[in-house]
Amino acid sequence: MPLLDANGYRADPWIRIAAGEPATGDAVLVGLADLPAVIASRSNAQRIGVEVANTVRAADLGAFLGQLDLVAIAFPAFNDGRAFSLARQLREAGFKGAVRAVGPVIADQFTHLVACGFDEVEVPDAIAARQPEAQWRAALASYGATYQTGYGAGASILERRRALRAGQGAAS
């Protein structure tokens, strides 16, 4: 599966570790059940990531966030948006590591993924065959403004309108 970020496809340095298996490697991605044991036995330079369902609460990861380098959130279907909320909650909780979307998301969602706090997308092979890298990059560049406050960079459309009205009212 290709790994995509805002710059395009790149190599995936993370090694998925099956449940109960030893977490060896420089960058390991484990399930939530194995996370406490892996953190307890981590080597100094080892990077740790966790893959979670979109039904996990950000509070369930709270105690681990400072020790994680990656949180991979599963999308069971492209039309199940709970992972967007979880990514946003992780960012609001102060998580500074990478957030990855895993599952059947589509290029049209890329801008929204990035705006909610995702850094990268693990694109399933079937979707990558239908939607090449250029389509994902074009989708990311297609939106310059949003209606949601605090969604992405810069002021929202509504904040910009309020500022313009305030400026016009002051000039009159």
Side-chain angles (χ1 to χ4, degrees):
M1 270 187 263
L3 184 63
L4 177 77
D5 63 19
N7 297 312
Y9 287 140
R10 64 182 177 85
D12 186 358
W14 293 89
I15 300 167
R16 274 194 170 79
I17 305 296
E21 294 294 319
T24 57
D26 294 334
V28 296
L29 184 57
V30 300
L32 186 56
D34 289 334
L35 185 59
V38 171
I39 286 176
S41 66
R42 102 188 290 172
S43 66
N44 289 340
Q46 188 177 43
R47 298 185 316 155
I48 297 176
V50 64
E51 186 167 348
V52 298
N54 65 353
T55 56
V56 167
R57 297 175 313 152
D60 296 338
L61 296 171
F64 304 111
L65 289 182
Q67 300 169 70
L68 292 172
D69 298 287
L70 170 71
V71 175
I73 306 171
F75 278 80
F78 80 92
N79 61 351
D80 186 337
R82 293 175 287 181
F84 288 102
S85 299
L86 178 55
R88 179 85 182 240
Q89 291 165 6
L90 291 172
R91 293 302 186 199
E92 289 172 352
F95 182 62
K96 302 291 185 213
V99 180
R100 176 185 292 189
V102 177
V105 295
I106 57 176
D108 291 350
Q109 295 171 311
F110 198 22
T111 298
H112 306 295
L113 288 163
V114 170
C116 286
F118 285 93
D119 300 290
E120 55 195 36
V121 179
E122 194 175 280
V123 183
D125 291 331
I127 292 175
R130 287 191 326 265
Q131 298 179 329
E133 178 184 347
Q135 187 171 348
W136 287 83
R137 292 182 80 171
L140 184 59
S142 66
Y143 288 93
T146 66
Y147 281 98
Q148 294 85 356
T149 302
Y151 187 77
S156 71
I157 292 169
L158 297 175
E159 291 166 332
R160 291 177 191 175
R161 286 180 181 168
R162 284 188 194 113
L164 284 172
R165 287 187 183 129
Q168 290 174 348
S172 334

